[in-house]
Amino acid sequence: HPGTRMVVLREFRISMPMTVDEYHTAQLYMTAKSTRMEADRPDGAKVEVLKNEPCEHPKYGKGQFTLKVYHMHQKLPGWLRTMVPKNKAVLREESYNCFPHIETTLTLDMFSKLKISVYSKHLDNETDQENVHELSKKELKTRTVEYIDIVSSKMSKDSTANLGTEDPSKFKSLKTARGPLKKNWQTKTKPIMCAYKLVRAQFDYFGLRSKVEDFILGYEKDLFLSSHKQMFCWMDEWYGLSMNQIRQIEHEEMAETNAKAKRSNSLGSTASGVNNNHGSFKGQQTQQKASASASMQVSAPARVDAAFEDDISGDSDDDGTASQSRNEPGGKKQNLTAAQRKMLQQQQQYQQDA
């Protein structure tokens, strides 16, 4: 009935032809670059990166915390876009990257009773562990498992989560000689690792349950597929980068992405209204451990008025990523752009020769 809380558990398992340590670099680089790409697209979400700083997670320990705001009216499916005012289509994403654990929470302004959490764990070689997220027996009964193959899995038709046209079946890394990946590549590829991503969707709306559920899970699957294709096909861009170089890339892209957001006429003053409870993480780490539940929540998003909420009766949506780099810490120039451009030219020449 209308008061029942609906919780959906879907675990996605994604094998990748790299080590867990390499995946860490690849994931950070892909997030930085693709967030910039998303912000640059005419139909993309407008992105503001409000926080990117060291943190202490109460369960996973030291890591990096990010808080992003996506103005994503254009990313909504047509049936939902017609019902949602543009200024209410604001997604907040807070993420604790305590690799190999990552915990991300997504909330949407227009649906205060909806929350999507994504728990990620990454393991070398282990591509089919039964319960890496340590779910209870009751949760295991409701959880479904889906495998994503970066070669053979297909995107949904007209998906707004598609980030590019990268094709692992045609890419060969010049730095590592990995690829192209062919059918059943998982059985004969070394190194190999697996990303286990558990999506937990909670929504207290009645009437559009199945439609909302299909949209959330379909979007997350498409996003995972597209982003992991990019991680592999961008290997020659991120392979060998140090963590200092990655952080510099994130810093520069954060500044540029935010500048682009400020120039956008559609953003208004939303960002200034975000409750940044995580803003002073460095000074609040002791308090975080003592009050885990408080530190793990974003402030309650602004509600739509009751009449609008009752009218729509429920749904939700999506997520994010980010950009690229040019300098090393300390001001030393590290002409990564030129190097990457040269690598792309070599890659294109290789594909033409092949």
Side-chain angles (χ1 to χ4, degrees), residues 53-267:
E53 61 191 18
C55 69
E56 182 87 18
H57 189 282
K59 180 177 179 181
Y60 302 126
K62 294 184 183 300
Q64 195 79 4
F65 172 79
T66 56
L67 172 60
K68 300 177 185 177
V69 172
Y70 295 83
H71 302 263
M72 38 157 294
H73 195 260
Q74 291 293 328
K75 304 290 286 184
L76 299 176
W79 59 268
L80 180 55
R81 196 181 306 133
T82 58
M83 296 187 286
V84 177
K86 196 171 185 179
N87 66 342
K88 292 295 183 181
V90 178
L91 178 82
R92 287 170 173 78
E93 174 198 89
E94 58 173 308
S95 182
Y96 299 83
N97 191 334
C98 306
F99 203 82
H101 300 274
I102 302 176
E103 183 172 317
T104 301
T105 301
L106 307 169
T107 54
L108 211 51
D109 266 13
M110 58 202 166
F111 299 116
S112 61
K113 293 184 289 184
L114 181 139
K115 178 181 175 182
I116 305 166
S117 301
V118 182
Y119 306 89
S120 303
K121 188 171 181 179
H122 309 86
L123 297 176
D124 275 321
N125 301 315
E126 303 288 342
T127 58
D128 203 19
Q129 280 206 16
E130 177 56 25
N131 190 16
V132 297
H133 296 289
E134 301 177 351
L135 300 178
S136 67
K137 290 182 178 179
K138 182 178 180 180
E139 289 174 321
L140 286 174
K141 288 180 180 178
T142 61
R143 177 203 67 176
T144 57
V145 175
E146 187 167 349
Y147 296 87
I148 294 178
D149 186 334
I150 61 172
V151 173
S152 62
S153 294
K154 305 298 182 186
M155 299 286 292
S156 302
K157 185 180 179 182
D158 301 324
S159 174
T160 59
N162 195 350
L163 301 176
T165 58
E166 285 74 16
D167 188 348
S169 71
K170 296 178 181 178
F171 170 80
K172 182 176 179 66
S173 168
L174 297 177
K175 289 187 175 181
T176 67
R178 297 176 203 170
L181 301 180
K182 301 304 180 184
K183 187 177 179 180
N184 299 322
W185 63 270
Q186 300 93 330
T187 62
K188 47 201 170 192
T189 298
K190 294 292 180 182
I192 192 169
M193 54 79 63
C194 187
Y196 294 82
K197 293 185 171 288
L198 180 70
V199 178
R200 183 189 298 268
Q202 302 176 13
F203 45 102
D204 293 342
Y205 296 95
F206 180 76
L208 290 177
R209 176 190 170 189
S210 61
K211 200 165 188 177
V212 172
E213 180 180 322
D214 289 346
F215 173 61
I216 293 172
L217 297 177
Y219 186 92
E220 291 294 338
K221 177 185 175 180
D222 287 343
L223 184 71
F224 295 153
L225 174 58
S226 184
S227 60
H228 282 75
K229 283 184 174 185
Q230 290 178 329
M231 287 167 62
F232 177 66
C233 293
W234 292 346
M235 182 175 289
D236 287 340
E237 298 178 34
W238 58 257
Y239 189 84
L241 291 180
S242 68
M243 192 53 61
N244 282 340
Q245 288 172 311
I246 289 290
R247 294 303 178 209
Q248 183 66 21
I249 288 170
E250 292 177 330
H251 176 76
E252 292 179 0
E253 295 304 338
M254 173 178 169
E256 229 169 303
T257 299
N258 286 347
K260 184 181 292 290
K262 287 180 180 179
R263 291 194 297 268
S264 172
N265 294 329
S266 64
L267 295 188

Side-chain angles (χ1 to χ4, degrees), residues 7-39:
V7 180
V8 178
L9 286 175
R10 177 75 56 85
E11 183 178 301
F12 296 94
R13 299 179 183 175
I14 313 158
S15 295
M16 293 289 286
M18 59 188 67
T19 67
V20 165
D21 286 342
E22 290 170 347
Y23 182 98
H24 188 199
T25 302
Q27 185 260 337
L28 293 173
Y29 180 84
M30 177 277 300
T31 299
K33 181 175 177 177
S34 59
T35 296
R36 161 66 74 83
M37 291 170 62
E38 178 65 31

